[in-house]
Amino acid sequence: MVKKIVKGVILAVGLLFIYTPILLLVVFSFTPATTLGVWEGFSFDLYVQLVGNAQIMNIVKDTVILAVLAAAVSTVLGTLGAIGIFYSKKKTANAVSAVSRIPVINAEVVTAMSLALLFVALTMYKTYVSLLISHVVITLPFVVLSVIPKLKQMDPNLYEAALDLGATPTKALFKVVLPEILPGVLSGFMLAVTLSLDDYIVTAFVKPDWFDSISTYVYNSIKVPQQSAVPQLRALSAIIFVLIIVAVLVMNIPKNKQKNRFKEKID
């Protein structure tokens, strides 16, 4: 009993430490004060100003489009890569899996500089294509990491049974394997979108001069505090936080339903 209480307290303190700054940001997004930490009464003024700010709205649109494109490409390549790793021989699978994790464990600034040098050599530096490729590079490994556990959980006999029943390898892939690993694919896609939306270092190194993402715009705005858009960024951050929470909850609903059904079958 005591151990459970101690674990609960530690968990509560940890969550409080992580989420208190974000919750404070959300709270202060409902006051029009230009100075963070000053309360000037409850108001939706910052949200109204945010919607009316054409520059920020265009930046949000461009960032979301980039994130969705990068996530879509990463999901396709990452899913195929995960399937290839899973069905490869052990030595090949271990080698490819280790290489795919390099962008995850590598310092992001090193990845950014490496990509910048590569694109300079290819005469593609600071173009939209180089930016998209860079976001695919940093998000693809996380799709692989999301899909492989689902492949391991899948009954390996299903694919073989589909082939024995006359299905072609391609048909078996789309009719048997993909439906089984779909939750991992969707998780990888959402994770890729989140990582792309959040990225600053790689984006700052390879983005074209005419392009700004949310992260680069926020950083530049904070560097120049006199910009009038800075308070509106509190509202933008609050909206992003709420949307991410909603997306996580929606994605977990099917999982919870599956767990409940499994428990009912056991009972």
Side-chain angles (χ1 to χ4, degrees), residues 58-77:
N58 286 330
I59 289 171
V60 171
K61 179 192 71 176
D62 292 341
T63 305
V64 171
I65 291 173
L66 173 65
V68 172
L69 286 175
V73 175
S74 296
T75 301
V76 173
L77 297 179

Side-chain angles (χ1 to χ4, degrees), residues 116-125:
L117 288 172
L118 173 65
F119 292 130
V120 167
L122 297 175
T123 65
M124 292 173 56
Y125 185 51

Side-chain angles (χ1 to χ4, degrees), residues 97-199:
S97 181
V99 171
S100 71
R101 294 177 187 177
I102 291 176
V104 178
I105 61 177
N106 195 21
E108 194 170 356
V109 66
V110 176
T111 301
M113 291 181 65
S114 302
L115 289 168
L117 288 172
L118 173 65
F119 292 130
V120 167
L122 297 175
T123 65
M124 292 173 56
Y125 185 51
K126 289 199 171 184
T127 64
Y128 192 83
V129 175
S130 66
L131 178 61
L132 178 59
I133 293 173
S134 299
H135 276 238
V136 170
V137 168
I138 61 175
T139 56
L140 190 149
F142 292 92
V143 176
V144 174
L145 291 174
S146 297
V147 175
I148 284 182
K150 289 298 178 182
L151 286 166
K152 291 180 178 178
Q153 293 172 11
M154 183 183 70
D155 185 351
N157 296 319
L158 291 175
Y159 180 75
E160 297 296 335
L163 295 179
D164 291 340
L165 291 171
T168 62
T170 302
K171 190 172 182 179
L173 172 65
F174 284 97
K175 294 291 185 179
V176 177
V177 177
L178 285 180
E180 289 291 321
I181 64 173
L182 187 59
V185 175
L186 293 176
S187 298
F189 176 80
M190 290 302 300
L191 185 58
V193 169
T194 304
L195 290 168
S196 179
L197 288 173
D198 181 59
D199 182 75

Side-chain angles (χ1 to χ4, degrees), residues 20-51 229-242:
T20 295
I22 301 175
L23 293 176
L24 284 174
L25 183 65
V26 173
V27 170
F28 281 98
S29 69
F30 292 102
T31 184
T34 56
T35 304
L36 186 62
V38 176
W39 184 263
E40 294 183 356
F42 184 86
S43 172
F44 289 99
D45 286 352
L46 292 183
Y47 290 90
V48 174
Q49 294 171 18
L50 175 66
V51 174
V230 172
Q232 299 167 26
L233 297 177
R234 301 203 298 266
L236 177 61
S237 300
I239 291 172
I240 293 173
F241 174 69
V242 172

Side-chain angles (χ1 to χ4, degrees), residues 196-254:
S196 179
L197 288 173
D198 181 59
D199 182 75
Y200 169 76
I201 298 176
V202 171
T203 304
F205 269 80
V206 300
K207 75 178 184 69
D209 295 332
W210 53 267
F211 183 91
D212 254 326
S213 66
I214 294 173
S215 57
T216 57
Y217 179 77
V218 169
Y219 179 78
N220 293 332
S221 297
I222 293 173
K223 280 204 311 183
V224 188
Q226 64 267 24
Q227 288 190 18
S228 59
V230 172
Q232 299 167 26
L233 297 177
R234 301 203 298 266
L236 177 61
S237 300
I239 291 172
I240 293 173
F241 174 69
V242 172
L243 290 176
I244 294 297
I245 293 296
V246 171
V248 170
L249 292 175
V250 169
M251 287 183 62
N252 282 311
I253 289 174

